[in-house]
Amino acid sequence: MNTKYKLILITFLISITESFEKYFKRKSLKKVDISIYLFIELLLSLLILLIYILYNNTTNDLFDIFYNINNDTYKIILSAIAILLFNKIVKYYLLSNNNLLDVLIYDDSLDIIAITMISYFLLNEAISKERLLGIIIIMIGIYIFNKY
């Protein structure tokens, strides 16, 4: 199977599972406060990390990795984590107060546009005419979705 088709297939499967994840989050956030939900998510993430570390027996490797990271990289990691936390809180707020479909459409569509802009302006990646056309179609889709 072609690598591009594998990428599309795996991404499609991830999109399906993420849709269910957001559905479950929305149902949960109707009954639980955002801070409680974040705390539960943190505990479960730490449990999964602990199981991974114990299963792979990588404790020593993990400490070696931390010692080899320089300060600039730590700043980037902490910035990414801060942005992730902010985004989670805002997204949970949106999910608890808005229609699930609206949140998903705007979130996923605007992600594509924002990532394309970051790729072009910060990473100097080229954008083909076909991809630019795709972004224009997405923007038209957002307009139509919002209008009707």
Side-chain angles (χ1 to χ4, degrees), residues 109 112-113 116 127-144:
S109 302
I112 293 169
I113 295 168
T116 302
I127 300 173
S128 67
K129 293 175 191 173
E130 294 81 8
R131 288 186 179 187
L132 189 59
L133 178 63
I135 290 171
I136 292 169
I137 291 170
I138 289 170
M139 292 170 72
I140 292 169
I142 292 172
Y143 172 77
I144 292 170

Side-chain angles (χ1 to χ4, degrees), residues 64-128:
D64 290 341
I65 291 169
F66 280 112
Y67 288 126
N68 292 328
I69 297 175
N70 64 28
N71 287 338
D72 290 338
T73 305
Y74 273 122
K75 289 176 187 175
I76 293 170
I77 291 170
L78 291 176
S79 298
I81 291 170
I83 291 169
L84 176 67
L85 182 60
F86 174 77
N87 287 347
K88 278 185 173 284
I89 292 169
V90 170
K91 194 174 289 189
Y92 292 168
Y93 172 79
L94 292 174
L95 283 171
S96 63
N97 294 306
N98 294 287
N99 183 352
L100 178 64
L101 184 60
D102 290 342
V103 174
L104 291 179
I105 292 294
Y106 296 130
D107 179 39
D108 292 342
S109 302
L110 295 174
D111 274 353
I112 293 169
I113 295 168
I115 290 168
T116 302
M117 291 173 60
I118 288 171
S119 297
Y120 181 76
F121 290 112
L122 297 180
L123 301 175
N124 296 321
E125 294 180 357
I127 300 173
S128 67

